[in-house]
């Protein structure tokens, strides 16, 4: 199927929530497709293998990392990073994915955060801390 709007994208990911708690996703973008799955604190030991599984160990992985939907003043913000130990993608690819998302979902605010920046840890800690409330 196709996703034609920001609202459809948000609905596809249940607005980034499960049982009122934030969800964290792992993703891989190859030449053929974009694949993602929900992940979280309890899955952290498997993070390295997930990107390889999602990409079917493709030689042509354009980007891999994690994303989540952050809500600020009732406005969704897609936070995407390049946190993949398997593929270790650079910041250039991350910026291209951000541009791709903005081209397809112009109403969506997208923030790309390099895995080396402290902001990525800060955002994720806030999201993951809400898993166990």
């Amino acid at each position: 199927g196709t996703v034609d709007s920001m609202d459809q994208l948000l609905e596809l990911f249940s607005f980034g929530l499960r049982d009122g708690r934030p969800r964290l996703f792992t993703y891989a973008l190859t030449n053929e497709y974009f694949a993602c799955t929900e992940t979280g604190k309890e899955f952290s030991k498997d993070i390295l293998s997930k990107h390889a599984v999602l990409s079917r160990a493709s030689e042509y992985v354009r980007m891999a990392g994690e994303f989540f939907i952050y809500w600020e003043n009732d406005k969704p913000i897609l936070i995407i990073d390049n946190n993949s130990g398997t593929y270790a993608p650079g910041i250039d690819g991350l910026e291209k994915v951000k541009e791709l998302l903005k081209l397809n979902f112009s109403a969506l605010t997208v923030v790309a955060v390099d895995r080396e920046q402290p902001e990525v840890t800060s955002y994720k800690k806030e999201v993951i801390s809400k898993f166990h409330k």
Side-chain angles (χ1 to χ4, degrees), residues 45-81:
K45 292 180 185 173
D46 299 329
I47 196 71
L48 297 178
S49 65
K50 284 191 178 184
H51 295 117
V53 170
L54 287 172
S55 67
R56 296 184 216 145
S58 173
E59 276 184 69
Y60 305 105
V61 175
R62 298 295 178 185
M63 180 54 66
E66 297 170 322
F67 72 90
F68 56 94
I69 300 165
Y70 185 83
W71 289 88
E72 189 171 80
N73 300 324
D74 294 326
K75 182 178 178 184
I77 301 170
L78 182 71
I79 310 287
I80 190 162
D81 69 30

Side-chain angles (χ1 to χ4, degrees), residues 28-119:
L29 176 65
T30 71
N31 284 353
E32 287 97 35
Y33 60 88
F34 176 84
C36 64
T37 186
E38 186 173 356
T39 189
K41 187 175 183 178
E42 63 275 9
F43 296 106
S44 62
K45 292 180 185 173
D46 299 329
I47 196 71
L48 297 178
S49 65
K50 284 191 178 184
H51 295 117
V53 170
L54 287 172
S55 67
R56 296 184 216 145
S58 173
E59 276 184 69
Y60 305 105
V61 175
R62 298 295 178 185
M63 180 54 66
E66 297 170 322
F67 72 90
F68 56 94
I69 300 165
Y70 185 83
W71 289 88
E72 189 171 80
N73 300 324
D74 294 326
K75 182 178 178 184
I77 301 170
L78 182 71
I79 310 287
I80 190 162
D81 69 30
N82 56 346
N83 189 26
S84 172
T86 303
Y87 294 104
I91 189 73
D92 293 341
L94 182 60
E95 288 299 323
K96 288 178 183 175
V97 170
K98 177 183 175 180
E99 290 173 29
L100 178 67
L101 288 165
K102 288 300 296 174
L103 283 171
N104 286 282
F105 307 104
S106 59
L108 183 62
T109 299
V110 179
V111 174
V113 184
D114 183 65
R115 67 176 177 247
E116 300 297 326
Q117 293 179 345
E119 292 89 348

